[in-house]
Amino acid sequence: MKAAILVESLTGNTWKAAERIGADLQQAGWSIVGMNAVRKPDHGAIQQADIVLVGTWVHGLFVVGQKPWGIDNLRGLPSMAGKKVAGFCTYALTPGKSLDVITRELLSTGGEVIGGLTLQRGRLAAHTEEFAAR
């Protein structure tokens, strides 16, 4: 299996989560064909991939108004028709409905959304392992 990973990261937590997910998948025998910023997707890697994983971080006030960062970049993703896709987001206190928003945007690419997960930044190791296992 081949995976492409697209990431939006500000402080590096989401990028680190993506790297951990990629490493966990590689340990399971997967190939990572690309890991790029959502705003600069590698179209070739997306075409090669059996699954495209898309992650961003959650911003907003402490407990209200949470939403995925870079929603316009998610809306600008290329067509992923015929591809399996899954989303993830990193958060500090609460993700709100961010994963639902990510899922909606991934569906609009024509991809088959097979799941997603919120990753609490204080528990990245456990949460990224769970995401890769799913």
Side-chain angles (χ1 to χ4, degrees), residues 58 60-64 66 90-96 119-122:
V58 174
L61 299 176
F62 293 106
V63 292
V64 295
Q66 296 83 10
T90 59
Y91 69 96
L93 297 176
T94 180
L119 315 172
Q120 206 281 332
R121 73 176 182 202

Side-chain angles (χ1 to χ4, degrees), residues 54 56 58 66-68 71 74-75 86-89 95-108 113 115-118:
V54 180
T56 188
V58 174
Q66 296 83 10
K67 56 187 171 185
I71 193 72
L74 293 175
R75 289 181 180 139
F88 64 93
C89 59
K97 297 195 180 285
S98 295
L99 190 58
D100 294 338
V101 174
I102 293 167
T103 299
R104 184 177 60 240
E105 295 306 326
L106 293 177
L107 284 169
S108 75
V113 178
L117 191 65
T118 59

Side-chain angles (χ1 to χ4, degrees), residues 12-14 16-17 20 24 90-91 119-130:
N13 284 318
T14 310
K16 181 166 55 171
R20 286 177 177 265
D24 288 341
T90 59
Y91 69 96
L119 315 172
Q120 206 281 332
R121 73 176 182 202
R123 302 193 60 220
L124 278 186
H127 288 174
T128 55
E129 186 176 321
E130 179 182 347

